[in-house]
Amino acid sequence: MNIEALISKAAGEAVKALYGMDAMEKMLQLQKTRSEFEGNLTLVVFPFVKAAKKSPEQTAREIGDYLVQNCSAVEKFNVVKGFLNLSIGDGAWVELLSAIDADDNFGLKQATADSPLVMIEYSSPNTNKPLHLGHVRNNLLGWSLAQIMEANGNKVVKTNIVNDRGIHICKSMLAWLKYGNGETPETSGKKGDHLIGDYYVAFDKHYREEIKELVAQGMDEEQAKQEAPLIKEAHEMLVKWEQNDPEVRTLWEKMNNWVYAGFDETYKKLGVSFDKIYYESQTYLKGKAKVEEGLAKGLFERHKDNSVWADLTNEGLDKKLLLRSDGTSVYMTQDIGTAEMRFQDYPIDKMIYVVGNEQNYHFQVLSILLDRLGFKWGKELVHFSYGMVELPNGKMKSREGTVVDADDLMQLMVDDALKTSLELGKFADMTDEERNEIARIVGMGALKYFILKVDARKNMLFNPEESIDFNGNTGPFIQYTYARIRSILRKAEGLSSSTSLTSMTSLNEKEVELIQKMNEFGAAVEQAGKDYSPSGIANYCYELTKVFNQFYHDYSILNEPDEQKKLFRLVLAKNVAKIIKNGMGLLGIEVPERM
């Protein structure tokens, strides 16, 4: 039992013994004592004042006296109004460090056979362009969220839904047919997703020229957008695709496979993966069938033009189109079809969609529709809504080719990490292979941490230069601290470790602060799971790193003359490194053994 649980239990017994009150668990919450007061943990006593029939100060003193006499962890106390500040004895902190040291997975829960199954959908790319900076934030949030939910004892399935059909896909296909001259990833030396993205940009360029020409001939711009030969051809191609035209389908499969090979490379570099990938080309017909089924049950309504709608006015929303008059599906229908397939594949207890905040309304509607259609998790589905990523020079547009490509960004980060590390002299006595591997770990760590430390709901400005800094709230700062600890531990190899931790009788203030901060890891993981918040883990890792560096600045480890203290501090450092590694692992960030 950790210190908080021990004291909380003892405080409950105190209230019962002193005032005959059965205190609920939520009334016995402990918090870290504010830095201006003496003590480690604070109990708020206001909930017990009524039962005590005494002033808050007197109530706090009585509970404090009881705890000093009956709880081995509490050494002394002081009272500030209705706040009982408890000082924990050194023996309890040493015992706590022993418990942390004995548990390689300290702070992380393991799933059991009865654990709920959480499905997390993230990435959701289109097969007409490569992944860009916005996808990077999506993938990193999704992957991290999956690790956090798993660390909270859930079973987790990571899924991706690929938007592999539709007019935008046909645009790339048509442009390749017209302007590609049979170009392939092999002949061009380009990744498949980049090659196809180039043709999406090419389509837009030629399409704009056609619109401009029609407008010059006197046509209204809106009409020109509809009448331009290219867009008409793209729509014809989409109809052929829907009709299973063998030529169009063969081209579609060939070009999509180029894109998937490119995506796989990017995902691997990014360090993310999926347990199951779904494709909209396989789900949209399921969605249509599910909507027809709902129509037959009276859940939806068919209008005179043959379109199918869901009336959500009773829920304070509007009417939502589910099938167009020509019978074709919309995004909502596809999401219903994907849900149906997933529900058949897995016994889902909770579904989390990692999708940008521009889709907030979509998921509000989807939740109601899935609930109506009988999906048990429909009403409680979670839309993990995140903000957009912008760059110092503004927003990105795919069709104009102004996006920040994910592959280019990752390479830039690794190159910057290599350059910065060389300038700081951190790569002395290393082989080129070691330097490149550490640059990869540091560059990717900088990218991931910079994105994940920001509250996901907020829009963010990504600045590559700031993210590589080896000081401040950055990935490299935390990674460097981990590497420093590992270096200390390597130098200490061979030292006698016969001294028992429990023989330590007195700790300094910084050692206590460090153990207390380590002990908060489990609570940080739990809170991050409740809030769906990778940023909570990032901020915890930074706080722990800061506390360790303050300790290391004030107290030596290897040069400590007292052998007992030296060995104690080595155990302390080893467990800080363990928690940093596990915490950063929840963010998908590797930590190097040396830097």
Side-chain angles (χ1 to χ4, degrees):
M1 188 182 288
N2 67 31
I3 288 173
E4 283 94 335
L6 188 72
I7 295 173
S8 187
K9 183 172 179 287
E13 290 164 0
V15 171
K16 177 74 174 171
L18 294 167
Y19 314 123
M21 177 185 179
D22 289 312
M24 290 182 290
E25 194 178 327
K26 66 178 181 183
M27 298 168 77
L28 297 162
Q29 295 298 311
L30 291 158
Q31 55 202 45
K32 196 171 178 180
T33 302
R34 282 164 54 180
S35 56
E36 63 264 37
F37 301 118
E38 185 187 357
N40 306 110
L41 292 168
T42 297
L43 178 72
V44 180
V45 302
F46 294 112
F48 319 122
V49 168
K50 193 174 176 185
K53 296 177 183 169
K54 291 171 184 168
S55 70
E57 290 86 347
Q58 201 173 345
T59 305
R61 275 194 292 275
E62 288 180 352
I63 296 172
D65 284 332
Y66 182 97
L67 291 175
V68 168
Q69 289 166 32
N70 296 282
C71 180
S72 59
V74 179
E75 189 175 65
K76 57 184 180 177
F77 70 89
N78 66 83
V79 175
V80 179
K81 298 183 179 173
F83 298 92
L84 173 59
N85 300 322
L86 304 168
S87 295
I88 311 304
D90 287 345
W93 292 120
V94 173
E95 220 171 282
L96 177 58
L97 179 60
S98 294
I100 293 170
D101 186 47
D103 185 358
D104 287 342
N105 295 309
F106 173 75
L108 310 174
K109 293 177 187 158
Q110 303 297 315
T112 66
D114 300 326
S115 294
L117 177 70
V118 179
M119 182 177 276
I120 302 177
E121 174 197 293
Y122 57 97
S123 199
S124 313
N126 295 333
T127 57
N128 63 319
K129 56 190 174 186
L131 303 179
H132 56 63
L133 178 54
H135 289 115
V136 170
R137 190 178 199 190
N138 180 300
N139 280 281
L140 295 182
L141 286 169
W143 176 264
S144 179
L145 194 58
Q147 309 315 303
I148 290 166
M149 297 309 285
E150 216 163 64
N152 276 285
N154 299 287
K155 288 182 278 192
V156 173
V157 175
K158 302 183 289 291
T159 67
N160 185 359
I161 174 73
V162 178
N163 185 359
D164 63 339
R165 61 176 285 278
I167 190 66
H168 48 297
I169 312 296
C170 290
K171 287 176 181 179
S172 293
M173 289 163 61
L174 183 61
W176 183 83
L177 277 178
K178 283 182 171 296
Y179 320 118
N181 297 316
E183 187 179 30
T184 68
E186 289 74 29
T187 62
S188 66
K190 292 178 183 174
K191 278 175 82 236
D193 50 337
H194 288 225
L195 182 68
I196 302 308
D198 288 346
Y199 285 104
Y200 184 60
V201 173
F203 178 94
D204 189 64
K205 181 184 161 216
H206 287 90
Y207 176 44
R208 283 167 181 265
E209 285 168 5
E210 288 185 350
I211 293 168
K212 197 174 172 185
E213 206 173 300
L214 290 171
V215 169
Q217 291 168 16
M219 193 180 282
D220 170 74
E221 189 174 348
E222 281 310 305
Q223 192 186 354
K225 284 179 182 175
Q226 315 257 331
E227 295 298 325
L230 261 181
I231 200 71
K232 282 187 164 182
E233 277 188 79
H235 279 292
E236 283 164 18
M237 184 179 268
L238 180 59
V239 171
K240 284 181 180 177
W241 185 94
E242 297 259 357
Q243 293 168 346
N244 268 322
D245 178 275
E247 211 173 301
V248 170
R249 285 283 178 140
T250 302
L251 175 65
W252 171 74
E253 279 178 19
K254 177 169 77 174
M255 292 178 71
N256 270 356
N257 284 333
W258 292 346
V259 172
Y260 298 144
F263 283 174
D264 286 346
E265 271 187 60
T266 307
Y267 288 139
K268 191 177 177 184
K269 281 183 197 165
L270 207 49
V272 305
S273 60
F274 310 93
D275 300 307
K276 177 92 178 180
I277 297 181
Y278 293 90
Y279 300 90
E280 287 193 4
S281 57
Q282 295 165 4
T283 67
Y284 81 107
L285 291 174
K286 287 256 185 194
K288 285 168 78 168
K290 200 71 186 166
V291 169
E292 295 286 358
E293 187 187 305
L295 189 65
K297 290 179 181 172
L299 301 174
F300 308 131
E301 57 190 40
R302 193 184 292 280
H303 287 190
K304 284 179 184 176
D305 66 354
N306 209 37
S307 58
V308 177
W309 296 73
D311 187 349
L312 306 174
T313 49
N314 284 345
E315 278 88 358
L317 304 174
D318 56 10
K319 293 187 176 186
K320 184 68 188 174
L321 176 68
L322 299 179
L323 289 175
R324 297 188 188 94
S325 54
D326 61 4
T328 55
S329 62
V330 293
Y331 275 118
M332 190 64 72
T333 327
Q334 289 160 196
D335 274 346
I336 291 168
T338 309
E340 168 81 349
M341 285 181 80
R342 287 171 173 161
F343 195 67
Q344 288 166 355
D345 291 343
Y346 298 96
I348 304 167
D349 294 300
K350 185 185 282 290
M351 182 74 216
I352 303 174
Y353 293 87
V354 181
V355 182
N357 56 16
E358 75 278 9
Q359 295 292 329
N360 285 356
Y361 181 74
H362 176 91
F363 283 98
Q364 200 180 349
V365 171
L366 182 63
S367 175
I368 295 166
L369 296 180
L370 291 178
D371 183 54
R372 275 193 197 178
L373 289 165
F375 293 93
K376 64 174 183 173
W377 45 266
K379 196 174 271 183
E380 275 80 43
L381 77 77
V382 176
H383 172 206
F384 182 79
S385 171
Y386 64 90
M388 296 298 100
V389 189
E390 291 181 10
L391 292 154
N393 58 354
K395 293 185 180 178
M396 306 176 291
K397 291 180 182 171
S398 302
R399 64 180 178 275
E400 292 172 17
T402 60
V403 297
V404 175
D405 176 80
D407 295 309
D408 292 345
L409 177 63
M410 288 190 282
Q411 193 56 54
L412 170 74
M413 296 301 293
V414 174
D415 291 346
D416 280 0
L418 184 62
K419 180 170 169 275
T420 305
S421 298
L422 284 168
E423 285 169 0
L424 294 172
K426 293 188 183 294
F427 282 162
D429 307 323
M430 285 191 198
T431 65
D432 285 346
E433 196 180 338
E434 280 180 304
R435 286 176 185 176
N436 291 336
E437 177 59 4
I438 291 171
R440 181 192 67 78
I441 291 172
V442 173
M444 291 306 298
L447 170 66
K448 292 179 181 186
Y449 188 84
F450 197 89
I451 284 176
L452 292 173
K453 74 176 181 180
V454 178
D455 179 347
R457 291 165 297 189
K458 294 179 179 173
N459 287 352
M460 67 170 290
L461 190 71
F462 180 73
N463 188 326
E465 286 173 23
E466 274 181 39
S467 69
I468 290 285
D469 198 338
F470 280 78
N471 296 300
N473 190 3
T474 67
F477 171 68
I478 297 168
Q479 289 172 318
Y480 183 63
T481 299
Y482 174 84
R484 171 188 271 172
I485 295 172
R486 296 301 298 162
S487 171
I488 292 166
L489 296 174
R490 280 194 297 275
K491 287 174 186 168
E493 278 173 10
L495 285 178
S496 164
S497 55
S498 56
T499 306
S500 163
L501 276 182
T502 51
S503 61
M504 276 292 286
T505 51
S506 111
L507 305 184
N508 65 52
E509 187 187 335
K510 296 285 186 197
E511 288 165 336
V512 168
E513 188 183 2
L514 202 43
I515 297 169
Q516 188 167 6
K517 180 52 76 174
M518 281 193 272
N519 187 46
E520 291 168 14
F521 181 51
V525 172
E526 195 175 316
Q527 198 59 48
K530 283 177 184 167
D531 298 341
Y532 308 112
S533 173
S535 64
I537 298 295
N539 292 325
Y540 170 82
C541 289
Y542 175 56
E543 290 298 323
L544 175 62
T545 302
K546 272 201 309 184
V547 173
F548 175 81
N549 281 311
Q550 285 160 5
F551 158 76
Y552 188 65
H553 177 269
D554 293 349
Y555 296 95
S556 175
I557 297 179
L558 292 176
N559 294 326
E560 168 56 52
D562 184 315
E563 200 65 18
Q564 187 186 49
K565 283 184 180 177
K566 182 194 291 183
L567 292 168
F568 177 81
R569 287 174 190 170
L570 283 168
V571 174
L572 203 57
K574 181 182 83 168
N575 284 283
V576 169
K578 174 178 80 182
I579 292 172
I580 287 175
K581 185 174 186 175
N582 289 344
M584 293 291 266
L586 295 180
L587 303 174
I589 298 174
E590 298 168 79
V591 282
E593 289 298 303
R594 57 185 296 210
M595 267 173 81

